[in-house]
Amino acid sequence: MWIMAENVLETDLGDELVLMHAGLGEMFSLNDSGRVIWQALPAPQDTLAELLASTYGLTTAQARADVQALLLELARRTLVRQVDVRP
């Protein structure tokens, strides 16, 4: 399960969503597909890929690759983190 990190501020500029980690002061801009993923959090990676595929008509493989790339970049910038939700 992927979740938003604490202390992340977001600003909607219409054509992009800008994220800023309040503790680090670093900004990151999301396009429309990135916004879809961000606004669906918290969610498992497969759910996010299904959402992206159905929203943009992508193949499952392409959606999975795109979601993974975005989540890894967001995690590198400490904007999201993966949590274990097993009982």
Side-chain angles (χ1 to χ4, degrees):
M1 171 85 64
W2 287 89
I3 63 171
M4 298 172 188
E6 296 79 19
N7 299 322
V8 175
L9 307 172
E10 61 182 74
T11 301
D12 189 342
L13 299 177
D15 60 341
E16 66 181 335
L17 188 65
V18 178
L19 308 177
M20 186 179 88
H21 190 289
L24 301 175
E26 183 175 311
M27 297 173 66
F28 187 77
S29 177
L30 297 174
N31 61 15
D32 286 336
S33 59
R35 177 195 308 259
V36 167
I37 294 167
W38 178 262
Q39 292 177 334
L41 295 175
Q45 189 165 330
D46 286 343
T47 300
L48 296 171
E50 291 169 14
L51 175 61
L52 196 64
S54 66
T55 301
Y56 292 100
L58 301 174
T59 65
T60 301
Q62 183 61 57
R64 283 184 178 150
D66 291 351
V67 166
Q68 181 175 14
L70 178 61
L71 290 173
L72 290 176
E73 181 62 20
L74 291 172
R76 187 182 74 76
R77 296 172 181 262
T78 66
L79 297 168
V80 298
R81 62 187 176 92
Q82 195 170 22
V83 296
D84 188 5
V85 293
R86 288 181 277 172

